[in-house]
Amino acid sequence: MKNTIIYILLINILLCKTWEIDTKNSHIKYTGEHRLHSWTGKTSEIDFKMPCNGDFCTLEISAPLESFDSGNDGRDSNMLYYTESLLYPNVTFVSDYFSFSGYFDEEMEITGKLTFHGVTKEITVKVILYENSFGTWGQCDFDINLSSFDVERPTLLLTRIADKISLTSKLKFLK
């Protein structure tokens, strides 16, 4: 009986894998627009978890809003004000279970919940997994509307910024 329990534990350990990312070479970006210009804010402060049990994984990604840098302190301060970052400090995505074989050079759809500004919405994102001479990568691009997350849009010269914000994440996996 003791040997059976030990074998079961060893099999579970071998089948369970947790993926990690290289935060120095990974980032999340957001791009906003106004009729006069567009801008991009970027962060590498990413909390990433992707525990797998066999071929089934969940994905949890979170980033503090205060870590996004657009290269303009006034704009970054404005973003933190309108997103009420003191009340809602992080933007987070938590996926449902999805099938992942561990192979790259594939595209997959992952459904989960995006929480931003205290509002949680179910979204489905396309993730592209690939390998090149620089490493193993996952990339995802999608859009959100600020109004869907109850974020008041700031104005510049009497015109509000666009409701649509484009998000891009590029993550380098550690092997």
Side-chain angles (χ1 to χ4, degrees):
M1 181 67 171
K2 216 180 209 184
N3 286 340
T4 304
I5 293 173
I6 290 172
Y7 289 130
I8 290 172
L9 286 174
L10 283 174
I11 289 171
N12 278 335
I13 289 170
L14 292 174
L15 290 177
C16 294
K17 179 170 176 84
T18 300
W19 291 82
E20 296 180 31
I21 60 168
D22 173 2
T23 55
K24 291 179 184 171
N25 291 298
S26 299
H27 64 262
I28 299 172
K29 291 182 184 179
Y30 78 90
T31 301
E33 294 184 3
H34 183 270
R35 67 183 173 125
L36 298 178
H37 69 288
S38 63
W39 63 93
T40 298
K42 179 179 175 181
T43 185
S44 291
E45 288 184 37
I46 304 166
D47 183 23
F48 176 90
K49 294 179 185 115
M50 193 172 102
C52 297
N53 189 355
D55 287 350
F56 294 96
C57 304
T58 58
L59 177 64
E60 298 177 31
I61 298 177
S62 184
L65 291 173
E66 69 179 15
S67 69
F68 284 87
D69 182 7
S70 71
N72 180 308
D73 290 341
R75 181 173 38 236
D76 293 340
S77 177
N78 222 14
M79 180 271 291
L80 294 174
Y81 173 79
Y82 281 95
T83 59
E84 299 180 278
S85 66
L86 292 176
L87 291 173
Y88 313 108
N90 297 313
V91 58
T92 304
F93 176 78
V94 178
S95 78
D96 298 338
Y97 278 98
F98 61 94
S99 178
F100 176 57
S101 63
Y103 294 106
F104 289 83
D105 295 322
E106 65 179 287
E107 184 177 306
M108 57 195 319
E109 286 190 356
I110 298 176
T111 299
K113 292 180 175 45
L114 178 68
T115 302
F116 172 52
H117 193 244
V119 176
T120 301
K121 300 278 184 184
E122 186 169 294
I123 63 169
T124 299
V125 295
K126 286 188 180 184
V127 178
I128 299 168
L129 304 170
Y130 62 95
E131 291 183 296
N132 61 25
S133 60
F134 300 106
T136 305
W137 302 86
Q139 185 167 333
C140 176
D141 302 298
F142 64 98
D143 298 328
I144 64 166
N145 289 322
L146 293 172
S147 58
S148 296
F149 292 89
D150 298 331
V151 175
E152 180 185 345
R153 294 181 292 144
T155 58
L156 175 63
L157 299 175
L158 304 174
T159 304
R160 292 199 182 281
I161 67 168
D163 192 30
K164 181 179 89 169
I165 298 292
S166 298
L167 293 149
T168 300
S169 64
K170 188 170 184 180
L171 307 175
K172 181 177 183 183
F173 290 96
L174 297 173
K175 287 190 168 186

